[in-house]
Amino acid sequence: QVQLVESGGGLVQPGGSLRLSCATSGNIFSRADMGWYRQVPGKQREWVATITSRSITLYAETVKGRFTISRDNAKNTAYLQMSSLKPGDTAVYYCKLGDPAGVEYWGQGTLVTVSS
């Protein structure tokens, strides 16, 4: 019923920028909270940012001031704009949708590599 498709990952130099997209299917997007997470092999998945159905935003301290989460309800799509990227930002980034019933849906992940 609900599917998430992520795109926008790739290789970027330190200090560069990248925008990730999370396109969703289904009719629940406008009422759902959206989040971005990231994971490095061997480590626990880390929360990065959240935007609620009312467009309230929250950020992890490690990305605050550098990353911006947004949503376009007309396109059923969430975004993560990343700037001033650091090698420590290298990870697989995942999109999550939380519906009003509390059910969570995840995307497949997209790899972001920050390296010279």
Side-chain angles (χ1 to χ4, degrees):
Q1 52 179 91
V2 177
Q3 294 182 328
L4 286 66
V5 179
E6 299 161 334
S7 61
L11 176 65
V12 64
Q13 294 182 334
S17 62
L18 205 62
R19 187 181 73 166
L20 307 182
S21 298
C22 175
T24 70
S25 63
N27 58 190
I28 202 67
F29 180 83
S30 65
R31 299 185 294 280
D33 295 344
M34 301 297 299
W36 286 96
Y37 295 72
R38 65 189 184 186
Q39 188 169 27
V40 176
K43 297 187 64 177
Q44 191 174 41
R45 190 167 297 185
E46 174 190 19
W47 170 72
V48 173
T50 292
I51 183 165
T52 71
S53 61
R54 299 192 65 185
S55 293
I56 298 170
T57 57
L58 300 165
Y59 298 93
E61 185 66 26
T62 51
V63 307
K64 193 173 298 181
R66 300 187 298 120
F67 291 12
T68 301
I69 187 171
S70 62
R71 65 192 296 153
D72 186 338
N73 286 349
K75 297 181 178 180
N76 291 336
T77 300
Y79 304 93
L80 185 68
Q81 178 67 49
M82 304 181 292
S83 62
S84 301
L85 283 162
K86 307 173 181 179
D89 295 320
T90 296
V92 177
Y93 284 72
Y94 297 89
C95 181
K96 186 190 79 172
L97 181 154
D99 76 13
V103 179
E104 297 180 349
Y105 303 86
W106 292 86
Q108 78 288 350
T110 184
L111 177 63
V112 173
T113 302
V114 184
S115 176
S116 298

